[in-house]
Amino acid sequence: MTDSFHCEQIPYSVLAAEYGTPLYVYSQQAMTAALNQYQQAFAALQPLICYAVKANSNLSILRHFARLGCGFDIVSRGELQRVLTAGGDAKNIIFSGVGKSCAEIEWALKQNIRCFNVESLPELERINTIAARLDKIAPISLRINPDVNAHTHPYISTGLKANKFGIAYQDAIAAYQLAATLPHLQITGIDCHIGSQLTDLSPLVEALERMLLLVDKLAALNIHLEHIDLGGGVGIVYQNENVPDLVTYAAAVKRLLAGRHLQLMLEPGRSLIGNAGTLLTTVEYIKHGEEKNFVVVDAAMNDLMRPSLYQAYHAIVNASQTSADELTADVVGPICESGDFLAKDRTIAAKAGDLLLIKSTGAYASSMASNYNTRCRAAEVLVNGAEYKLIRQRENLTDLLSPEKVCL
Ligand SMILES: *Cc1c(COP(=O)(O)O)cnc(C)c1O
């Protein structure tokens, strides 16, 4: 019964009163339903679905996905530690990222993760050297840049020639040939990730077609792959986007993989958690500026960076039975930056003290939070039916200040 006033069966106002604001609230049922959509659409292909931890790395959320059978896509040693702490299985962890350090590679090898998604030739050499020292064989996949345009925001478009990610398409065969000569590597797969918040299926399908051309060329060179990893998931609805249909996506993948013995892997993040999260914030002031109105709230860009970073849109709903008149305003936080806004030019009825819900803030929201302006990061609550639990306590100033030393 999630509506404007409830997360599942719990009124948002109850959670705000108990834990204060800003507060992240997640619907466990929404997470489960989002994963079920992937599992059902792709059922015939029995994919390994590796939740992209960076979307939201809260330990309880990771545990929930682990219990539902997910693997995990990580991009740092810290994320690896989170997955293991949450009860995830190292055998289902894949390690992505363009800048894996020696220490990170060593640690991941010792944990016997499933695969390194390698992004460059020097990384191949580095992994081989470390694996040799540890007397191990490192399973690797090469992240290939298929050079397709995902038509998404430039900051989250990753599959173009100009991006820092992946190995250039025309260099892919040579990279595999190099990998095949390195004795402490075991080539297991191929992967790509062309971008996030994709609203169109065709680039995903085009990327897969281009990857399969490589798979065939490699087979002719006696390099046989076990898996193909198509990277992140589809986009979600923040406003009125047309998002790709997973059944259609799965049908296209199934058709292209037919007759091949390739295990499918997927790395969705946003689409598993994005719409399951809501950021609760309280209106501090209504301010009538010279040219604009401002709804000043107690959440800010340090809690939710997406509007500032990507000009992202998040719907905002007033969860109080407000008596206020509608106005057109920017919804802004207390941080001393003009870039500190959560919404621009919204028509909203709000007065000081009202509780606002910033919708679709499950992904790339709390995981991107910072302490800018010495603000404590928000608490997080997980709702399941009529139950709810605090899954991250609000940071306090001792947490913030204790790593620092006054040495003068
Ligand atoms: C961020 C990322 C993902 C997750 O992308 P979503 O759009 O959130 O599904 C998957 N794989 C890699 C390599 C990523 O960097």
Side-chain angles (χ1 to χ4, degrees):
M1 70 172 287
T2 296
D3 58 21
S4 292
F5 303 101
H6 296 79
C7 178
E8 301 189 20
Q9 294 168 42
I10 309 296
Y12 286 112
S13 56
V14 166
L15 300 174
E18 184 161 343
Y19 299 109
T21 58
L23 178 71
Y24 277 102
V25 177
Y26 305 103
S27 161
Q28 189 169 317
Q29 288 170 11
M31 289 157 50
T32 306
L35 178 63
N36 280 342
Q37 284 202 357
Y38 276 92
Q39 287 171 329
Q40 283 165 16
F42 286 91
L45 292 163
Q46 292 185 288
L48 178 64
I49 299 175
C50 293
Y51 169 66
V53 172
K54 73 183 193 290
N56 188 317
S57 55
N58 183 286
L59 293 174
S60 290
I61 287 170
L62 299 182
R63 169 152 308 182
H64 182 64
F65 285 125
R67 282 183 176 163
L68 294 175
C70 283
F72 295 91
D73 174 42
I74 60 158
V75 294
S76 70
R77 153 128 198 214
E79 288 190 352
L80 174 53
Q81 190 60 52
R82 282 181 176 277
V83 171
L84 297 176
T85 303
D89 185 352
K91 268 271 145 284
N92 290 333
I93 292 176
I94 53 182
F95 195 165
S96 298
V98 71
K100 301 175 194 78
S101 71
C102 292
E104 287 179 314
I105 291 166
E106 175 165 346
W107 179 248
L109 274 170
K110 286 181 175 162
Q111 303 305 314
N112 296 315
I113 66 163
R114 183 176 195 113
C115 189
F116 291 87
N117 286 353
V118 177
E119 301 222 9
S120 66
L121 302 187
E123 185 189 338
L124 274 179
E125 307 266 7
R126 179 179 278 188
I127 294 174
N128 183 62
T129 303
I130 297 169
R133 176 160 51 74
L134 300 177
D135 197 21
K136 283 186 168 279
I137 303 290
I140 59 118
S141 161
L142 294 188
R143 175 167 174 179
I144 304 303
N145 185 340
D147 193 30
V148 298
N149 192 342
H151 301 292
T152 185
H153 187 282
Y155 287 11
I156 50 177
S157 183
T158 53
L160 282 168
K161 280 184 184 156
N163 294 126
K164 70 175 177 180
F165 297 102
I167 291 168
Y169 191 82
Q170 68 275 13
D171 300 339
I173 299 290
Y176 273 100
Q177 286 176 312
L178 170 66
T181 67
L182 299 175
H184 286 269
L185 302 183
Q186 184 197 355
I187 299 170
T188 63
I190 187 166
D191 63 283
C192 71
H193 170 69
I194 60 171
S196 197
Q197 185 55 13
L198 304 185
T199 51
D200 183 6
L201 267 187
S202 50
L204 283 167
V205 175
E206 197 188 325
L208 173 54
E209 286 168 347
R210 287 174 62 80
M211 305 264 285
L212 289 175
L213 292 176
L214 291 178
V215 172
D216 292 339
K217 281 189 193 158
L218 290 168
L221 295 166
N222 213 20
I223 296 175
H224 299 282
L225 305 183
E226 292 160 26
H227 78 254
I228 187 161
D229 174 350
L230 301 183
V234 297
I236 64 171
V237 177
Y238 286 103
Q239 187 171 12
N240 51 18
E241 298 87 342
N242 274 319
V243 297
D245 173 44
L246 283 179
V247 173
T248 311
Y249 181 25
V253 174
K254 200 174 154 198
R255 177 173 51 77
L256 290 168
L257 293 186
R260 296 172 178 273
H261 299 282
L262 280 173
Q263 153 96 66
L264 175 65
M265 294 192 194
L266 300 168
E267 306 168 350
R270 186 191 310 274
S271 48
L272 296 187
I273 182 74
N275 287 135
T278 303
L279 175 58
L280 277 52
T281 184
T282 304
V283 177
E284 298 280 10
Y285 304 99
I286 304 292
K287 180 171 170 179
H288 301 284
E290 249 176 281
E291 284 186 7
K292 281 195 147 190
N293 299 312
F294 298 96
V295 175
V296 185
V297 298
D298 66 357
M301 66 186 285
N302 76 297
D303 302 298
L304 176 63
M305 200 181 179
R306 289 180 29 77
S308 306
L309 186 61
Y310 310 124
Q311 295 88 43
Y313 177 98
H314 289 275
I316 300 185
V317 174
N318 192 332
S320 306
Q321 313 279 0
T322 190
S323 55
D325 291 332
E326 271 193 349
L327 77 170
T328 300
D330 288 2
V331 180
V332 302
I335 284 184
C336 300
E337 297 278 346
S338 296
D340 178 28
F341 59 88
L342 301 169
K344 292 255 188 200
D345 299 316
R346 290 296 168 83
T347 303
I348 186 169
K351 63 175 189 329
D354 282 358
L355 177 66
L356 303 187
L357 311 177
I358 307 179
K359 308 294 283 183
S360 302
T361 45
Y364 306 108
S366 68
S367 61
M368 284 187 173
S370 78
N371 295 119
Y372 188 39
N373 278 211
T374 308
R375 288 169 51 85
C376 298
R377 279 179 291 178
E380 296 180 274
V381 169
L382 182 63
V383 175
N384 184 22
E387 290 173 19
Y388 57 91
K389 295 190 191 94
L390 186 66
I391 58 170
R392 181 192 169 100
Q393 64 190 34
R394 187 175 301 284
E395 251 175 347
N396 62 39
L397 288 171
T398 309
D399 299 330
L400 251 66
L401 299 191
S402 60
E404 295 176 36
K405 306 274 177 280
V406 181
C407 295
L408 306 176

